[in-house]
Amino acid sequence: MATRKNSADDPLAPLTLAVGQEDLLLDRAVQQVVAAARAADADTDVRDLASDQLQPGTLAELTSPSLFAERKVVIVRNAQDLAADTVKDVKAYLGAPVEEITLVLLHAGGARGKGLLDAARKAGAREVACPKTTKPAERLSFVRSEFRTHGRSATPEACQALVDSIGSDLRELASAVSQLVADVEGTIDEAVVGRYYTGRAEASSFTVADRAVEGRAAEALEALRWSLSTGVAPVLITSALAQGVRAIGKLSSARGGRPADLARELGMPPWKIDRVRQQMRGWTPDGVAVALRAVAAADAGVKGGGDDPEYALEKAVVTVARAARTGR
């Protein structure tokens, strides 16, 4: 049986290996293969199986030659959980894939089922990385990529505001980007994001921190109360306050220079350098020290060291805002 050469950019390669635990990316890897197969043959037969549905002999049955030489896509989810006998079947198939059939293995990665993972890679699988996004910077990169995929422009501030507003769920972030690009013409900026996600943006812990380090105590307290009423965890608010004050301290003690140079030195994106420069007016080294002590006390208070976490947060917000205005 003739075999096809795998290609990293060919969704119709004999074998696609999607590795990771990010459900949205795994689903997109599957959708890309299915779309390509149906573009080549509208009558493509798609079989989408959980690991427990692929029993010994099932793969051989699904991939047996057809009189009509129909195109077929066989998807196996959670391949790391396949039984040992089934893994043997899959490994045997990898050595002689069937023409017009694309096998898609979804594997969580890690030690479980590593033998199958290694065998698929050795067989020349087209691999799609689907890692879980755990860092804010990764979610920000995802949002930027989504806007580029849609062929649209969004300011750095708008991307950050969307991440701050929506949170860590990639499906929700992707949906929000789709809504914005469908409804808004031209470049999408922070004001547009704010209009669409009023309430969620106001509830962001970073909104509380931004208003506090800018010395806008009343607005910071209003955002704080909204945050708490909508279920934002107090520890996220103290974390955002600490990040805001530390950023001011780091930038105020750094050598002058272009935002790009300072960004490399301080580990911040260039757009944030510009924002922090605007926020740091009025701040002094003594003010930064006072604010950090207040935030540390609030953090201890919300983690069980005090009787009233809300009061601890309000006190910290007022202290940070006062330090921003008076320098102490």
Side-chain angles (χ1 to χ4, degrees):
M1 180 67 65
T3 61
R4 294 160 293 171
K5 183 180 179 181
N6 279 308
S7 171
D9 59 359
D10 180 12
L12 294 182
L15 174 64
T16 286
L17 181 63
V19 183
Q21 300 180 44
E22 187 56 67
D23 289 341
L24 174 66
L25 301 183
L26 290 167
D27 285 347
R28 285 184 172 180
V30 170
Q31 290 164 8
Q32 184 188 31
V33 172
V34 172
R38 286 185 167 154
D41 181 353
D43 295 324
T44 293
D45 182 16
V46 177
R47 303 295 181 93
D48 196 333
L49 307 173
S51 57
D52 59 358
Q53 293 177 293
L54 196 68
Q55 299 297 320
T58 304
L59 184 60
E61 180 182 343
L62 291 174
T63 58
S64 59
S66 167
L67 291 175
F68 303 101
E70 65 181 356
R71 183 177 292 278
K72 186 179 293 184
V73 175
V74 178
I75 302 152
V76 181
R77 298 182 183 271
N78 297 312
Q80 73 279 356
D81 296 328
L82 289 172
D85 288 344
T86 305
V87 169
K88 291 180 183 177
D89 285 354
V90 176
K91 288 182 177 179
Y93 176 81
L94 297 180
V98 178
E99 192 73 16
E100 301 302 318
I101 292 180
T102 298
L103 177 63
V104 183
L105 298 178
L106 276 57
H107 194 294
R112 187 177 178 86
K114 189 172 184 298
L116 177 58
L117 192 63
D118 292 343
R121 286 169 171 161
K122 186 176 180 180
R126 166 184 175 261
E127 187 166 340
V128 181
C130 305
K132 198 76 174 176
T133 55
T134 58
K135 299 178 181 178
E138 292 171 344
R139 292 190 283 274
L140 185 60
S141 177
F142 172 79
V143 168
R144 289 171 175 163
S145 176
E146 287 292 288
F147 279 117
R148 287 196 297 270
T149 298
H150 285 284
R152 295 294 300 279
S153 297
T155 66
E157 294 82 1
C159 294
Q160 184 66 58
L162 199 58
V163 172
D164 292 346
S165 302
I166 301 299
S168 60
D169 191 302
L170 290 197
R171 290 189 189 278
E172 290 193 18
L173 286 168
S175 177
V177 170
S178 295
Q179 180 181 10
L180 288 169
V181 300
D183 294 354
V184 180
E185 296 182 357
T187 299
I188 295 165
D189 59 20
E190 188 176 12
V192 169
V193 175
R195 286 199 304 272
Y196 269 73
Y197 297 99
T198 299
R200 296 184 75 161
E202 291 172 357
S204 165
S205 56
F206 289 100
T207 301
V208 178
D210 283 342
R211 299 298 85 80
V213 300
E214 291 162 3
R216 296 152 65 178
E219 294 177 42
L221 288 171
E222 181 181 359
L224 171 64
R225 288 163 189 149
W226 185 281
S227 296
L228 295 174
S229 71
T230 55
V232 175
V235 69
L236 295 179
I237 298 173
T238 56
S239 175
L241 283 167
Q243 289 181 49
V245 176
R246 288 193 191 112
I248 287 171
K250 289 166 67 175
L251 188 56
S252 63
S253 62
R255 300 186 302 273
R258 298 178 305 167
D261 296 332
L262 288 171
R264 285 191 294 271
E265 180 182 343
L266 302 178
M268 299 180 191
W271 67 264
K272 190 170 184 179
I273 297 292
D274 292 333
R275 173 179 283 185
V276 175
R277 273 178 168 167
Q278 295 173 359
Q279 292 175 334
M280 63 189 288
R281 296 167 186 163
W283 281 91
T284 66
D286 287 343
V288 171
V290 167
L292 285 175
R293 286 196 294 270
V295 174
D299 190 56
V302 303
K303 292 178 178 176
D307 297 328
D308 191 342
E310 184 172 338
Y311 173 72
L313 285 168
E314 289 181 353
K315 185 177 179 181
V317 165
V318 170
T319 301
V320 171
R322 183 174 64 244
R325 293 194 313 272
T326 67
R328 64 183 188 277

Short mmCIF file of all heavy atoms in Angstrom, two decimals, residues 112-173:
data_model
loop_
_atom_site.label_atom_id
_atom_site.label_comp_id
_atom_site.label_asym_id
_atom_site.label_seq_id
_atom_site.Cartn_x
_atom_site.Cartn_y
_atom_site.Cartn_z
N ARG A 112 1.97 9.34 30.78
CA ARG A 112 0.95 8.34 30.49
C ARG A 112 0.81 8.15 28.97
O ARG A 112 0.64 9.11 28.23
CB ARG A 112 -0.38 8.76 31.08
CG ARG A 112 -1.47 7.69 30.97
CD ARG A 112 -2.75 8.16 31.66
NE ARG A 112 -3.81 7.18 31.54
CZ ARG A 112 -4.00 6.16 32.35
NH1 ARG A 112 -3.17 5.98 33.37
NH2 ARG A 112 -5.00 5.31 32.18
N GLY A 113 0.90 6.92 28.52
CA GLY A 113 0.79 6.64 27.10
C GLY A 113 1.94 7.16 26.28
O GLY A 113 1.80 7.39 25.07
N LYS A 114 3.11 7.34 26.91
CA LYS A 114 4.25 7.93 26.21
C LYS A 114 4.76 7.03 25.08
O LYS A 114 5.29 7.51 24.07
CB LYS A 114 5.39 8.21 27.19
CG LYS A 114 6.52 9.04 26.58
CD LYS A 114 7.53 9.45 27.65
CE LYS A 114 8.61 10.36 27.04
NZ LYS A 114 9.38 9.68 25.99
N GLY A 115 4.58 5.71 25.24
CA GLY A 115 5.04 4.80 24.18
C GLY A 115 4.33 5.06 22.87
O GLY A 115 4.97 5.08 21.80
N LEU A 116 3.04 5.32 22.93
CA LEU A 116 2.28 5.62 21.72
C LEU A 116 2.70 6.98 21.16
O LEU A 116 2.83 7.14 19.94
CB LEU A 116 0.78 5.61 22.02
CG LEU A 116 -0.14 5.98 20.86
CD1 LEU A 116 0.08 5.04 19.67
CD2 LEU A 116 -1.60 5.95 21.31
N LEU A 117 2.91 7.92 22.05
CA LEU A 117 3.35 9.26 21.62
C LEU A 117 4.67 9.17 20.87
O LEU A 117 4.84 9.75 19.79
CB LEU A 117 3.48 10.15 22.86
CG LEU A 117 3.64 11.65 22.65
CD1 LEU A 117 2.42 12.25 21.98
CD2 LEU A 117 3.88 12.34 24.00
N ASP A 118 5.60 8.43 21.43
CA ASP A 118 6.92 8.29 20.80
C ASP A 118 6.80 7.57 19.45
O ASP A 118 7.47 7.93 18.48
CB ASP A 118 7.87 7.52 21.72
CG ASP A 118 8.24 8.30 22.97
OD1 ASP A 118 8.05 9.54 22.97
OD2 ASP A 118 8.70 7.68 23.94
N ALA A 119 5.95 6.55 19.40
CA ALA A 119 5.78 5.79 18.15
C ALA A 119 5.19 6.66 17.05
O ALA A 119 5.60 6.58 15.89
CB ALA A 119 4.89 4.58 18.41
N ALA A 120 4.23 7.49 17.42
CA ALA A 120 3.61 8.37 16.44
C ALA A 120 4.62 9.38 15.90
O ALA A 120 4.66 9.66 14.70
CB ALA A 120 2.41 9.09 17.06
N ARG A 121 5.43 9.89 16.78
CA ARG A 121 6.46 10.86 16.34
C ARG A 121 7.49 10.16 15.45
O ARG A 121 7.93 10.73 14.44
CB ARG A 121 7.12 11.50 17.56
CG ARG A 121 6.23 12.52 18.26
CD ARG A 121 6.79 12.95 19.59
NE ARG A 121 6.04 14.09 20.14
CZ ARG A 121 6.06 14.44 21.42
NH1 ARG A 121 6.81 13.75 22.28
NH2 ARG A 121 5.34 15.47 21.84
N LYS A 122 7.88 8.97 15.82
CA LYS A 122 8.85 8.23 15.02
C LYS A 122 8.30 7.92 13.64
O LYS A 122 9.04 7.87 12.64
CB LYS A 122 9.23 6.94 15.74
CG LYS A 122 10.35 6.17 15.07
CD LYS A 122 10.75 4.95 15.89
CE LYS A 122 11.87 4.19 15.20
NZ LYS A 122 12.27 2.99 16.00
N ALA A 123 6.98 7.74 13.56
CA ALA A 123 6.34 7.45 12.28
C ALA A 123 6.20 8.69 11.40
O ALA A 123 5.71 8.60 10.27
CB ALA A 123 4.96 6.82 12.51
N GLY A 124 6.64 9.84 11.91
CA GLY A 124 6.60 11.06 11.12
C GLY A 124 5.29 11.82 11.20
O GLY A 124 4.89 12.49 10.25
N ALA A 125 4.61 11.69 12.33
CA ALA A 125 3.31 12.36 12.48
C ALA A 125 3.43 13.87 12.32
O ALA A 125 4.42 14.49 12.73
CB ALA A 125 2.71 12.04 13.85
N ARG A 126 2.43 14.44 11.71
CA ARG A 126 2.27 15.90 11.72
C ARG A 126 1.79 16.27 13.13
O ARG A 126 0.75 15.80 13.58
CB ARG A 126 1.23 16.31 10.68
CG ARG A 126 0.73 17.74 10.81
CD ARG A 126 -0.36 18.00 9.79
NE ARG A 126 -0.94 19.33 9.96
CZ ARG A 126 -2.09 19.56 10.60
NH1 ARG A 126 -2.79 18.56 11.13
NH2 ARG A 126 -2.55 20.79 10.72
N GLU A 127 2.57 17.09 13.84
CA GLU A 127 2.26 17.36 15.25
C GLU A 127 1.73 18.78 15.43
O GLU A 127 2.28 19.74 14.90
CB GLU A 127 3.48 17.13 16.12
CG GLU A 127 3.19 17.22 17.61
CD GLU A 127 4.32 16.67 18.48
OE1 GLU A 127 5.15 15.89 17.95
OE2 GLU A 127 4.37 17.02 19.67
N VAL A 128 0.66 18.89 16.21
CA VAL A 128 0.07 20.18 16.54
C VAL A 128 0.13 20.36 18.05
O VAL A 128 -0.41 19.53 18.80
CB VAL A 128 -1.41 20.26 16.07
CG1 VAL A 128 -1.99 21.62 16.41
CG2 VAL A 128 -1.52 19.97 14.58
N ALA A 129 0.80 21.40 18.50
CA ALA A 129 0.92 21.66 19.93
C ALA A 129 -0.35 22.33 20.46
O ALA A 129 -0.81 23.32 19.89
CB ALA A 129 2.13 22.55 20.20
N CYS A 130 -0.90 21.79 21.53
CA CYS A 130 -2.12 22.32 22.14
C CYS A 130 -1.92 22.49 23.64
O CYS A 130 -2.68 21.92 24.45
CB CYS A 130 -3.30 21.39 21.87
SG CYS A 130 -3.58 21.03 20.12
N PRO A 131 -0.91 23.24 24.06
CA PRO A 131 -0.60 23.33 25.49
C PRO A 131 -1.64 24.15 26.25
O PRO A 131 -2.26 25.07 25.71
CB PRO A 131 0.76 24.04 25.50
CG PRO A 131 0.73 24.89 24.26
CD PRO A 131 -0.01 24.07 23.24
N LYS A 132 -1.81 23.80 27.51
CA LYS A 132 -2.69 24.56 28.38
C LYS A 132 -2.05 25.92 28.63
O LYS A 132 -0.86 26.02 28.92
CB LYS A 132 -2.86 23.82 29.72
CG LYS A 132 -4.04 24.27 30.54
CD LYS A 132 -5.32 23.72 29.97
CE LYS A 132 -6.52 24.04 30.85
NZ LYS A 132 -7.79 23.57 30.24
N THR A 133 -2.82 26.99 28.49
CA THR A 133 -2.30 28.32 28.74
C THR A 133 -2.45 28.63 30.22
O THR A 133 -3.57 28.70 30.74
CB THR A 133 -3.04 29.38 27.91
OG1 THR A 133 -4.44 29.28 28.17
CG2 THR A 133 -2.81 29.16 26.44
N THR A 134 -1.34 28.81 30.90
CA THR A 134 -1.36 29.03 32.34
C THR A 134 -0.86 30.42 32.73
O THR A 134 -1.07 30.84 33.86
CB THR A 134 -0.50 27.98 33.05
OG1 THR A 134 0.85 28.06 32.55
CG2 THR A 134 -1.04 26.57 32.81
N LYS A 135 -0.24 31.12 31.81
CA LYS A 135 0.35 32.43 32.13
C LYS A 135 -0.41 33.55 31.42
O LYS A 135 -0.86 33.39 30.29
CB LYS A 135 1.82 32.46 31.71
CG LYS A 135 2.68 31.41 32.42
CD LYS A 135 4.11 31.46 31.91
CE LYS A 135 4.96 30.40 32.59
NZ LYS A 135 6.36 30.41 32.08
N PRO A 136 -0.54 34.71 32.09
CA PRO A 136 -1.21 35.85 31.45
C PRO A 136 -0.59 36.22 30.11
O PRO A 136 -1.31 36.57 29.18
CB PRO A 136 -1.04 36.97 32.49
CG PRO A 136 -0.92 36.27 33.80
CD PRO A 136 -0.16 35.00 33.49
N ALA A 137 0.73 36.13 30.02
CA ALA A 137 1.40 36.48 28.76
C ALA A 137 0.98 35.55 27.63
O ALA A 137 0.87 35.97 26.47
CB ALA A 137 2.92 36.45 28.94
N GLU A 138 0.73 34.28 27.95
CA GLU A 138 0.30 33.33 26.92
C GLU A 138 -1.11 33.65 26.45
O GLU A 138 -1.41 33.55 25.26
CB GLU A 138 0.35 31.91 27.50
CG GLU A 138 1.76 31.42 27.79
CD GLU A 138 1.79 30.12 28.56
OE1 GLU A 138 0.74 29.73 29.13
OE2 GLU A 138 2.86 29.49 28.59
N ARG A 139 -1.97 34.05 27.38
CA ARG A 139 -3.34 34.41 26.99
C ARG A 139 -3.33 35.70 26.15
O ARG A 139 -4.11 35.84 25.21
CB ARG A 139 -4.22 34.56 28.23
CG ARG A 139 -4.44 33.24 28.94
CD ARG A 139 -5.48 33.34 30.03
NE ARG A 139 -4.99 33.98 31.24
CZ ARG A 139 -4.36 33.33 32.21
NH1 ARG A 139 -4.13 32.03 32.11
NH2 ARG A 139 -3.96 33.96 33.29
N LEU A 140 -2.44 36.62 26.51
CA LEU A 140 -2.32 37.85 25.73
C LEU A 140 -1.85 37.53 24.32
O LEU A 140 -2.37 38.08 23.34
CB LEU A 140 -1.35 38.80 26.44
CG LEU A 140 -1.18 40.19 25.82
CD1 LEU A 140 -2.50 40.93 25.78
CD2 LEU A 140 -0.14 40.99 26.61
N SER A 141 -0.88 36.65 24.21
CA SER A 141 -0.39 36.24 22.88
C SER A 141 -1.50 35.57 22.08
O SER A 141 -1.62 35.78 20.87
CB SER A 141 0.80 35.29 23.05
OG SER A 141 1.25 34.83 21.80
N PHE A 142 -2.33 34.77 22.75
CA PHE A 142 -3.44 34.10 22.08
C PHE A 142 -4.42 35.13 21.51
O PHE A 142 -4.86 35.01 20.36
CB PHE A 142 -4.16 33.18 23.07
CG PHE A 142 -5.44 32.59 22.53
CD1 PHE A 142 -5.40 31.51 21.67
CD2 PHE A 142 -6.67 33.12 22.87
CE1 PHE A 142 -6.57 30.96 21.16
CE2 PHE A 142 -7.85 32.58 22.37
CZ PHE A 142 -7.79 31.50 21.51
N VAL A 143 -4.75 36.15 22.30
CA VAL A 143 -5.70 37.17 21.84
C VAL A 143 -5.13 37.91 20.63
O VAL A 143 -5.83 38.15 19.64
CB VAL A 143 -6.03 38.15 22.98
CG1 VAL A 143 -6.77 39.38 22.45
CG2 VAL A 143 -6.89 37.45 24.03
N ARG A 144 -3.87 38.27 20.69
CA ARG A 144 -3.25 38.96 19.55
C ARG A 144 -3.31 38.09 18.30
O ARG A 144 -3.59 38.57 17.20
CB ARG A 144 -1.79 39.29 19.90
CG ARG A 144 -1.62 40.39 20.94
CD ARG A 144 -0.17 40.48 21.36
NE ARG A 144 0.06 41.59 22.27
CZ ARG A 144 1.13 41.71 23.04
NH1 ARG A 144 2.07 40.77 23.00
NH2 ARG A 144 1.27 42.74 23.85
N SER A 145 -3.02 36.79 18.48
CA SER A 145 -3.06 35.87 17.36
C SER A 145 -4.47 35.76 16.78
O SER A 145 -4.64 35.67 15.56
CB SER A 145 -2.56 34.50 17.80
OG SER A 145 -2.66 33.55 16.77
N GLU A 146 -5.48 35.77 17.66
CA GLU A 146 -6.87 35.68 17.19
C GLU A 146 -7.21 36.88 16.31
O GLU A 146 -7.83 36.74 15.25
CB GLU A 146 -7.83 35.62 18.38
CG GLU A 146 -7.82 34.30 19.11
CD GLU A 146 -8.39 33.17 18.27
OE1 GLU A 146 -9.61 33.13 18.04
OE2 GLU A 146 -7.60 32.31 17.85
N PHE A 147 -6.82 38.06 16.74
CA PHE A 147 -7.10 39.26 15.92
C PHE A 147 -6.38 39.17 14.58
O PHE A 147 -6.95 39.50 13.54
CB PHE A 147 -6.68 40.53 16.67
CG PHE A 147 -7.68 41.00 17.69
CD1 PHE A 147 -7.37 41.04 19.03
CD2 PHE A 147 -8.94 41.42 17.29
CE1 PHE A 147 -8.29 41.48 19.97
CE2 PHE A 147 -9.88 41.87 18.21
CZ PHE A 147 -9.55 41.89 19.56
N ARG A 148 -5.12 38.69 14.59
CA ARG A 148 -4.38 38.55 13.33
C ARG A 148 -5.05 37.54 12.42
O ARG A 148 -5.13 37.74 11.20
CB ARG A 148 -2.93 38.14 13.61
CG ARG A 148 -2.06 39.24 14.18
CD ARG A 148 -0.58 38.87 14.06
NE ARG A 148 -0.27 37.68 14.84
CZ ARG A 148 0.12 37.69 16.10
NH1 ARG A 148 0.25 38.83 16.74
NH2 ARG A 148 0.40 36.56 16.73
N THR A 149 -5.54 36.44 13.00
CA THR A 149 -6.21 35.42 12.20
C THR A 149 -7.44 35.99 11.50
O THR A 149 -7.76 35.63 10.36
CB THR A 149 -6.63 34.23 13.10
OG1 THR A 149 -5.44 33.65 13.66
CG2 THR A 149 -7.39 33.18 12.32
N HIS A 150 -8.13 36.90 12.18
CA HIS A 150 -9.31 37.54 11.59
C HIS A 150 -8.92 38.69 10.66
O HIS A 150 -9.81 39.32 10.06
CB HIS A 150 -10.21 38.08 12.69
CG HIS A 150 -10.99 37.03 13.42
ND1 HIS A 150 -12.10 36.41 12.88
CD2 HIS A 150 -10.82 36.46 14.65
CE1 HIS A 150 -12.59 35.54 13.75
NE2 HIS A 150 -11.82 35.54 14.82
N GLY A 151 -7.63 38.96 10.54
CA GLY A 151 -7.18 40.04 9.67
C GLY A 151 -7.51 41.43 10.20
O GLY A 151 -7.70 42.36 9.43
N ARG A 152 -7.55 41.56 11.52
CA ARG A 152 -7.93 42.83 12.13
C ARG A 152 -6.84 43.33 13.06
O ARG A 152 -6.01 42.56 13.57
CB ARG A 152 -9.23 42.66 12.91
CG ARG A 152 -10.42 42.33 12.02
CD ARG A 152 -10.77 43.47 11.08
NE ARG A 152 -11.11 44.66 11.84
CZ ARG A 152 -12.31 44.88 12.39
NH1 ARG A 152 -13.28 43.98 12.23
NH2 ARG A 152 -12.55 45.98 13.06
N SER A 153 -6.88 44.64 13.30
CA SER A 153 -5.91 45.27 14.19
C SER A 153 -6.56 45.60 15.52
O SER A 153 -7.70 46.06 15.57
CB SER A 153 -5.37 46.56 13.56
OG SER A 153 -4.68 46.28 12.36
N ALA A 154 -5.81 45.37 16.58
CA ALA A 154 -6.25 45.75 17.92
C ALA A 154 -5.05 46.31 18.66
O ALA A 154 -3.93 45.79 18.53
CB ALA A 154 -6.81 44.54 18.67
N THR A 155 -5.24 47.36 19.41
CA THR A 155 -4.13 47.98 20.14
C THR A 155 -3.67 47.04 21.25
O THR A 155 -4.44 46.21 21.74
CB THR A 155 -4.54 49.32 20.74
OG1 THR A 155 -5.54 49.09 21.77
CG2 THR A 155 -5.09 50.26 19.68
N PRO A 156 -2.42 47.18 21.69
CA PRO A 156 -1.94 46.36 22.82
C PRO A 156 -2.82 46.55 24.06
O PRO A 156 -3.09 45.59 24.78
CB PRO A 156 -0.52 46.88 23.05
CG PRO A 156 -0.09 47.40 21.72
CD PRO A 156 -1.33 48.00 21.11
N GLU A 157 -3.26 47.80 24.29
CA GLU A 157 -4.10 48.06 25.45
C GLU A 157 -5.44 47.34 25.34
O GLU A 157 -5.97 46.84 26.34
CB GLU A 157 -4.33 49.57 25.61
CG GLU A 157 -3.09 50.37 25.94
CD GLU A 157 -2.24 50.70 24.72
OE1 GLU A 157 -2.63 50.33 23.59
OE2 GLU A 157 -1.19 51.34 24.89
N ALA A 158 -5.98 47.26 24.12
CA ALA A 158 -7.26 46.56 23.92
C ALA A 158 -7.09 45.06 24.19
O ALA A 158 -7.96 44.44 24.82
CB ALA A 158 -7.76 46.78 22.50
N CYS A 159 -6.00 44.49 23.72
CA CYS A 159 -5.76 43.06 23.96
C CYS A 159 -5.64 42.78 25.45
O CYS A 159 -6.20 41.81 25.97
CB CYS A 159 -4.49 42.61 23.23
SG CYS A 159 -4.62 42.66 21.42
N GLN A 160 -4.89 43.64 26.14
CA GLN A 160 -4.73 43.45 27.59
C GLN A 160 -6.06 43.62 28.31
O GLN A 160 -6.39 42.85 29.22
CB GLN A 160 -3.70 44.45 28.14
CG GLN A 160 -3.40 44.26 29.62
CD GLN A 160 -2.71 42.95 29.89
OE1 GLN A 160 -1.63 42.68 29.34
NE2 GLN A 160 -3.30 42.09 30.73
N ALA A 161 -6.84 44.61 27.90
CA ALA A 161 -8.14 44.84 28.54
C ALA A 161 -9.06 43.64 28.34
O ALA A 161 -9.82 43.28 29.24
CB ALA A 161 -8.78 46.10 27.98
N LEU A 162 -8.98 43.02 27.18
CA LEU A 162 -9.83 41.86 26.92
C LEU A 162 -9.44 40.69 27.82
O LEU A 162 -10.31 40.01 28.39
CB LEU A 162 -9.72 41.46 25.45
CG LEU A 162 -10.84 40.58 24.89
CD1 LEU A 162 -12.19 41.25 25.03
CD2 LEU A 162 -10.57 40.26 23.43
N VAL A 163 -8.14 40.47 27.96
CA VAL A 163 -7.67 39.40 28.85
C VAL A 163 -8.08 39.69 30.29
O VAL A 163 -8.56 38.81 31.01
CB VAL A 163 -6.15 39.23 28.73
CG1 VAL A 163 -5.63 38.26 29.80
CG2 VAL A 163 -5.77 38.72 27.35
N ASP A 164 -7.91 40.94 30.72
CA ASP A 164 -8.28 41.32 32.08
C ASP A 164 -9.77 41.14 32.32
O ASP A 164 -10.21 40.76 33.40
CB ASP A 164 -7.90 42.77 32.35
CG ASP A 164 -6.39 42.99 32.40
OD1 ASP A 164 -5.65 41.99 32.49
OD2 ASP A 164 -5.96 44.16 32.33
N SER A 165 -10.56 41.42 31.30
CA SER A 165 -12.01 41.38 31.44
C SER A 165 -12.57 39.97 31.39
O SER A 165 -13.46 39.61 32.16
CB SER A 165 -12.67 42.21 30.33
OG SER A 165 -12.22 43.54 30.35
N ILE A 166 -12.06 39.16 30.46
CA ILE A 166 -12.65 37.85 30.21
C ILE A 166 -12.07 36.78 31.12
O ILE A 166 -12.78 35.91 31.62
CB ILE A 166 -12.45 37.43 28.74
CG1 ILE A 166 -13.10 38.47 27.81
CG2 ILE A 166 -13.03 36.05 28.48
CD1 ILE A 166 -14.59 38.63 28.00
N GLY A 167 -10.76 36.82 31.33
CA GLY A 167 -10.14 35.83 32.19
C GLY A 167 -9.35 34.79 31.41
O GLY A 167 -8.82 35.08 30.34
N SER A 168 -9.31 33.57 31.92
CA SER A 168 -8.38 32.57 31.40
C SER A 168 -8.99 31.58 30.41
O SER A 168 -8.26 30.78 29.83
CB SER A 168 -7.79 31.76 32.57
OG SER A 168 -8.82 31.10 33.29
N ASP A 169 -10.30 31.62 30.20
CA ASP A 169 -10.95 30.66 29.32
C ASP A 169 -10.73 31.03 27.86
O ASP A 169 -11.24 32.06 27.38
CB ASP A 169 -12.45 30.60 29.63
CG ASP A 169 -13.15 29.43 28.94
OD1 ASP A 169 -13.07 29.36 27.70
OD2 ASP A 169 -13.76 28.61 29.63
N LEU A 170 -9.99 30.19 27.13
CA LEU A 170 -9.67 30.52 25.73
C LEU A 170 -10.91 30.55 24.84
O LEU A 170 -10.98 31.32 23.89
CB LEU A 170 -8.66 29.52 25.16
CG LEU A 170 -7.23 29.57 25.69
CD1 LEU A 170 -6.30 28.83 24.74
CD2 LEU A 170 -6.74 30.98 25.92
N ARG A 171 -11.89 29.70 25.15
CA ARG A 171 -13.11 29.72 24.34
C ARG A 171 -13.81 31.07 24.48
O ARG A 171 -14.30 31.63 23.49
CB ARG A 171 -14.05 28.59 24.77
CG ARG A 171 -13.55 27.21 24.41
CD ARG A 171 -14.63 26.16 24.67
NE ARG A 171 -14.10 24.81 24.53
CZ ARG A 171 -13.97 24.19 23.37
NH1 ARG A 171 -14.32 24.79 22.25
NH2 ARG A 171 -13.48 22.96 23.32
N GLU A 172 -13.88 31.58 25.69
CA GLU A 172 -14.53 32.87 25.90
C GLU A 172 -13.73 33.99 25.26
O GLU A 172 -14.30 34.93 24.69
CB GLU A 172 -14.71 33.13 27.40
CG GLU A 172 -15.74 32.24 28.06
CD GLU A 172 -16.12 32.73 29.43
OE1 GLU A 172 -15.86 33.90 29.75
OE2 GLU A 172 -16.68 31.94 30.20
N LEU A 173 -12.40 33.90 25.35
CA LEU A 173 -11.56 34.93 24.71
C LEU A 173 -11.74 34.90 23.20
O LEU A 173 -11.87 35.95 22.56
CB LEU A 173 -10.09 34.70 25.07
CG LEU A 173 -9.68 35.08 26.50
CD1 LEU A 173 -8.30 34.54 26.82
CD2 LEU A 173 -9.72 36.59 26.69
#
